[in-house]
Amino acid sequence: MRCAYHPDYHVPLPPSHPFPMAKYPLLFQRLRAAGWLNDAQVLVPDEAALSDLCLVHTGHYLQQLADGTLDAAAVRKIGVPWSQALWRRSRLAAQGTLMAARAALDDGIAGNLAGGTHHAFPAHGEGFCVLNDVAVAIRVLQRDGRARRALVIDLDVHQGNGTAAIFEGDADVFTFSMHGERNYPSRKMHSTLDVGLADGIGDDDYLALLRRHLDDILATFVPEIVFYLAGVDPVRGDRYGRLALSDEGLRQRERCVLEACGSRGWPLVITIAGGYAPTPERTAELHAIVFEEAFRLPLQPRACAAS
Ligand SMILES: [Zn+2]
């Protein structure tokens, strides 16, 4: 399995900032040290082309990001201070998801050691999200004729509000979000299927709901590619999550998604989305689980009919 990563996914933030930026290099180093990821498996992205980003985001918003002319309220809503490095980082991560999507169409599965920034809307960012990488990748694949029907499985604890808004009413893109009902964002958008969870839910209830809804979706919608937002913020002890998945419950969740897609031969793109464990090391440990499980799968190269 190939995975996209760039050292500049990491951008220095003030020490007191709540976003665990260190999780990106820590996740990469962890997968490398464990022998899961060798040089040939690493996809190194360039910055996403503006012509691709424009398929989702407005020219005005992209111009403000490029020029550093977002007003103070817009920067506050994103929650991360603007810098040229942040703009570059956002474009690298978007391109990483696109590269992983193309690799998944060729190989059956691929990942980005970032991405899943699902709170980004066409004309603004919020909740630590600047660009909606998954939406951009879907629109690029559609434009290039590589895939039309896409399924987004978003298991980050926060609703994928930006993604839901971008694809609302689009019959070619099924957006599934399972999230804390009382958690951010307070104003939810309309995914194709939203499953709101009560605070404190644990492994058994969570996994039963996931299996039931995944079965329903997979029985009715046949995608050409699946994007998985494997946020680890539903795990017990997360600073923002309010749910109570165990490490083993998380591992079962990842197997459930991997097996559902793998058994049907659907190309799967893994993005990491959110995770706010007490330390960045612990966050990276949790993010590594989906990749560990994916690396264990037998790789089945696909005939690339659409390319
Ligand atoms: Zn989240």
Side-chain angles (χ1 to χ4, degrees):
M1 180 173 79
R2 292 183 283 170
C3 289
Y5 176 75
H6 195 293
D8 293 346
Y9 281 0
H10 176 271
V11 173
L13 292 176
S16 59
H17 197 282
F19 188 82
M21 193 61 86
K23 73 182 189 177
Y24 300 105
L26 287 168
L27 173 60
F28 177 70
Q29 288 153 17
R30 190 178 181 90
L31 296 176
R32 294 282 281 178
W36 291 116
L37 202 54
N38 63 37
D39 286 345
Q41 289 169 286
V42 180
L43 301 166
V44 182
D46 293 320
E47 295 173 29
L50 288 175
S51 56
D52 290 348
L53 299 177
C54 273
L55 298 173
V56 168
H57 296 285
T58 65
H60 180 61
Y61 177 49
L62 295 172
Q63 195 66 53
Q64 289 175 312
L65 285 167
D67 297 345
T69 52
L70 290 168
D71 64 28
V75 173
R76 248 194 330 273
K77 210 166 166 60
I78 291 173
V80 183
W82 181 91
S83 63
Q84 274 297 344
L86 180 75
W87 170 227
R88 171 173 158 75
R89 181 229 175 276
S90 304
R91 291 172 69 186
L92 290 172
Q95 187 68 14
T97 296
L98 177 58
M99 289 179 86
R102 289 172 172 150
L105 288 172
D106 291 340
D107 301 345
I109 188 166
N112 183 14
L113 305 187
T117 41
H118 56 171
H119 301 309
F121 286 71
H124 78 271
E126 60 181 66
F128 305 141
C129 300
V130 176
L131 299 172
N132 197 308
D133 57 307
V134 167
V136 169
I138 290 171
R139 290 300 187 219
V140 171
L141 295 181
Q142 290 176 328
R143 180 198 63 196
D144 296 346
R146 290 214 61 186
R148 187 169 61 87
R149 290 166 65 80
L151 169 62
V152 180
I153 300 173
D154 187 341
L155 300 184
D156 188 279
V157 83
H158 303 101
Q159 194 215 23
N161 55 346
T163 316
I166 289 164
F167 293 114
E168 186 171 1
D170 185 337
D172 284 331
V173 181
F174 193 114
T175 55
F176 168 45
S177 179
M178 201 164 96
H179 49 261
E181 183 61 30
R182 285 158 42 85
N183 210 320
Y184 170 91
S186 55
R187 181 170 168 241
K188 308 285 194 284
M189 297 290 120
H190 298 290
S191 311
T192 315
L193 176 63
D194 285 301
V195 177
L197 305 171
D199 287 356
I201 195 169
D203 292 350
D204 291 349
D205 291 342
Y206 184 98
L207 292 168
L209 277 168
L210 174 62
R211 290 194 177 102
R212 176 152 68 80
H213 288 295
L214 261 187
D215 283 348
D216 288 349
I217 294 166
L218 303 182
T220 56
F221 186 83
V222 179
E224 293 161 71
I225 189 163
V226 182
F227 288 83
Y228 179 32
L229 285 80
V232 297
D233 40 15
V235 172
R236 183 186 296 119
D238 188 273
R239 287 183 279 125
Y240 298 138
R242 300 196 202 167
L243 302 190
L245 238 58
S246 69
D247 289 27
E248 182 52 32
L250 179 71
R251 193 172 290 278
Q252 286 185 38
R253 182 191 81 167
E254 312 306 34
R255 281 188 196 142
C256 178
V257 174
L258 291 165
E259 283 165 11
C261 297
S263 64
R264 290 166 175 83
W266 293 343
L268 178 66
V269 187
I270 301 166
T271 65
I272 73 170
Y276 311 91
T279 65
E281 288 78 9
R282 168 74 177 147
T283 306
E285 178 187 358
L286 293 171
H287 280 308
I289 290 175
V290 70
F291 294 101
E292 292 166 10
E293 292 302 316
F295 283 123
R296 288 196 177 102
L297 295 172
L299 191 64
Q300 293 174 335
R302 293 167 50 82
C304 203
S307 64

